[in-house]
Amino acid sequence: MADKGVYECMVNTDRGDTTATISLSVTAKYKTPTMSSIPETNIKENTDVTIFCNSTGGHQTGLIWWFDQFGSNWTRSAELVAKETDDGLFSLSSKFTVLKATSSYTNYTCKVLNVNGAEEGMASFVIQFAPRDLGSKADHLGIVSTTKWLTPVVVIGSLIIGLLAALLLFKRRSAQRGHQTDTRHDQDVEAEGLNSDRN
């Protein structure tokens, strides 16, 4: 890039001297972009995922376009930052957030275009979702842990209910026995009264 500019050429002949100028422009293509994401791996369904696309070495400010696996253009939803580096070239950094990402849309592509709109680089990225069996294992572990504390609670509760039922039954039987005793006592008193009347 340091060699760009206007150059002058001078020619000396027997017929005289002449000069000519020429402008030299230096171009540089952007390098193949690199991609990454946050979070990186074991991503759960319906999680927001931000994908990054970076490229350096371009001559002038370029563009980064985003596409999904079906060819839909998502560039309007992305953010682009272009910076001039110390060597006079440019770096491009773009990020695109996939809202509530699902395994139905896993592949995304970023394309780097120069100032004239010509493609100079492309990279693809696959969102690393967590395997579905991990989720089922987690659910199974949750069920097991729930069972571990739920079983003693059910057993203790059953014992308490059993004891209460036994106590209630005991009280009812005691009350019935007391009632029967009172009835027999009343009958004995009546019988004694009848005998005394007859005498």
Side-chain angles (χ1 to χ4, degrees):
M1 297 300 295
D3 295 326
K4 70 178 181 179
V6 178
Y7 289 82
E8 183 178 72
C9 176
M10 180 178 291
V11 178
N12 295 321
T13 65
D14 294 339
R15 297 183 179 179
D17 300 333
T18 184
T19 60
T21 59
I22 186 170
S23 177
L24 176 66
S25 62
V26 179
T27 60
K29 291 182 66 176
Y30 280 97
K31 296 179 181 178
T32 301
T34 58
M35 300 184 73
S36 60
S37 73
I38 296 178
E40 296 180 355
T41 57
N42 291 328
I43 301 169
K44 295 181 180 180
E45 294 271 342
N46 297 314
T47 299
D48 291 351
V49 181
T50 300
I51 307 175
F52 299 90
C53 178
N54 301 293
S55 182
T56 59
H59 169 53
Q60 292 179 332
T61 302
L63 299 172
I64 292 181
W65 283 8
W66 289 88
F67 299 90
D68 62 23
Q69 63 199 51
F70 302 107
S72 300
N73 191 328
W74 291 92
T75 306
R76 290 185 178 181
S77 300
E79 298 178 20
L80 175 66
V81 176
K83 292 183 179 180
E84 186 174 2
T85 56
D86 295 337
D87 55 7
L89 300 176
F90 285 84
S91 68
L92 300 176
S93 179
S94 180
K95 69 176 181 178
F96 168 61
T97 300
V98 182
L99 301 177
K100 295 185 178 180
T102 65
S103 55
S104 301
Y105 290 80
T106 59
N107 298 7
Y108 290 87
T109 299
C110 71
K111 293 183 178 181
V112 178
L113 311 177
N114 62 24
V115 69
N116 297 318
E119 182 180 324
E120 293 191 349
M122 180 183 70
S124 294
F125 186 83
V126 178
I127 297 177
Q128 301 296 321
F129 286 98
R132 291 185 178 180
D133 58 342
L134 288 180
S136 60
K137 285 181 180 178
D139 294 340
H140 177 69
L141 290 175
I143 292 172
V144 170
S145 63
T146 301
T147 304
K148 284 183 178 179
W149 66 262
L150 187 60
T151 301
V153 170
V154 172
V155 171
I156 292 171
S158 299
L159 289 173
I160 292 173
I161 292 173
L163 289 173
L164 290 174
L167 182 62
L168 182 61
L169 184 61
F170 177 76
K171 284 186 176 181
R172 283 185 179 177
R173 286 184 178 178
S174 297
Q176 287 177 353
R177 287 177 183 172
H179 178 70
Q180 290 176 354
T181 302
D182 293 341
T183 303
R184 288 176 184 173
H185 177 71
D186 292 342
Q187 289 175 350
D188 292 341
V189 170
E190 288 178 2
E192 289 179 1
L194 289 173
N195 291 331
S196 60
D197 289 342
R198 286 176 183 176
N199 292 331

